[in-house]
Amino acid sequence: VFTAKKNGTTITAYTSGKVMFQGANAEKEANCWGEKQLTKSPQVKSKTSALPENLSSLSVLGSDEVGNGSYFGPLTVCAAYVDQAKLKQLKQLGVRDSKELKDPQIIQLANILKDTIPYQLLVLTPKKYNEIQPTYNAVRMKVALHNQAIHLLLKKIAPAKPDAILIDQFTPETNFKKYARLEQNQIQEKLYFVTKGEQYHLAVAAASIISRASFLEELDKESAEIGMNLPSGAGTKSDQIAAKILQQGGISLLANYAKLHF
Ligand code: MN
């Protein structure tokens, strides 16, 4: 989060919540900043909860986001619920890791999925993203969106309850829970985190496909609006288009299409 130097002490704050004091007077300096709370060892605190056995065959609510690494376009988050009775059907439809699918396939599959399973999609436009970003860092923003999508979907599917809630992991579990505690409707129960979540349950794969399709559609919409082909990702091409938009309407125009903190 930040690094500071004061009277020869170096203070480093991490997104995990840990703050480190280094230097000859470190202890004295640390004592100025509140009580000691580290009764538990950090290793125990950061341990990730073990996934349930036979996870892939359970009824799971999965969530994933798209657009985080793209300069242009929104951040989209989707939560999807796949009851175990639907698993076979989804497999037959060809639901799998969206990275193995081409864009037209993703859009086609997303449309079918939306009619097949309960889901909750949240789209954070670049404009809104830029408004929130100064107070919410990128991780907190994603936590808030995942948390809210899951909360809304749990309400939609009630009284049915998932055996597990699986989030495609983007931050350590402790970090997720720390930010989730700042939200109004906190999801804490039956919550599991794993990277490459699509490979662990089709609910995450489905969530990933729906959020990816939404991201592509939004990017198309924005491209049509400004009359330029807004690329996905971040690189030279994005920089060149950004320069054109800046020339045309300055930062206020760019703020409608790009995540400005990049
Ligand atoms: Mn993901």
Side-chain angles (χ1 to χ4, degrees), residues 125-128 130 245 250-260:
T125 62
K127 192 169 185 274
K128 192 81 188 157
N130 294 326
I245 297 174
I251 200 84
S252 60
L253 184 66
L254 187 62
N256 294 330
Y257 303 100
K259 303 181 185 82
L260 294 181

Side-chain angles (χ1 to χ4, degrees), residues 73-200:
L75 178 63
T76 60
V77 174
C78 182
Y81 177 61
V82 179
D83 188 282
Q84 59 186 167
K86 288 263 167 90
L87 285 168
K88 202 176 159 200
Q89 188 189 353
L90 256 55
K91 226 173 257 172
Q92 282 166 348
L93 284 169
V95 174
R96 58 184 194 276
D97 191 344
S98 67
K99 284 165 204 87
E100 294 171 19
L101 301 166
K102 298 217 164 73
D103 289 354
Q105 282 178 298
I106 285 173
I107 287 167
Q108 195 189 5
L109 258 178
N111 286 331
I112 300 170
L113 282 172
K114 285 176 176 175
D115 290 330
T116 312
I117 54 168
Y119 72 98
Q120 178 66 53
L121 176 66
L122 297 177
V123 178
L124 189 63
T125 62
K127 192 169 185 274
K128 192 81 188 157
Y129 185 102
N130 294 326
E131 284 169 20
I132 297 172
Q133 199 276 322
T135 33
Y136 278 56
N137 67 53
V139 175
R140 185 177 170 194
M141 217 184 293
K142 280 191 277 183
V143 171
L145 288 165
H146 276 266
N147 185 78
Q148 182 66 1
I150 294 166
H151 167 72
L152 292 172
L153 185 56
L154 283 171
K155 281 213 300 202
K156 263 188 203 174
I157 65 170
K161 280 199 170 105
D163 299 323
I165 298 171
L166 185 61
I167 297 177
D168 190 34
Q169 189 162 20
F170 53 88
T171 190
E173 181 172 341
T174 44
N175 214 23
F176 185 98
K177 291 190 168 167
K178 182 189 75 180
Y179 285 123
R181 276 194 286 274
L182 304 171
E183 294 302 307
Q184 226 168 31
N185 308 296
Q186 307 159 27
I187 314 297
Q188 302 269 12
E189 268 173 67
K190 291 193 208 167
L191 207 49
Y192 300 95
F193 303 85
V194 68
T195 53
K196 296 187 176 138
E198 309 92 341
Q199 296 171 12
Y200 290 82

Side-chain angles (χ1 to χ4, degrees), residues 37-52:
Q37 293 181 323
L38 288 175
T39 44
K40 276 184 219 158
S41 90
Q43 280 100 332
V44 173
K45 273 184 82 190
S46 65
K47 229 182 210 166
T48 304
S49 306
L51 298 176

Side-chain angles (χ1 to χ4, degrees), residues 6-11 19-36:
K6 194 189 164 212
N7 304 332
T9 306
T10 304
I11 308 167
V19 182
M20 193 161 70
F21 294 80
Q22 290 167 296
N25 299 317
E27 185 130 3
K28 196 177 155 218
E29 183 62 38
N31 285 334
C32 304
W33 297 95
E35 319 109 63
K36 282 183 188 162

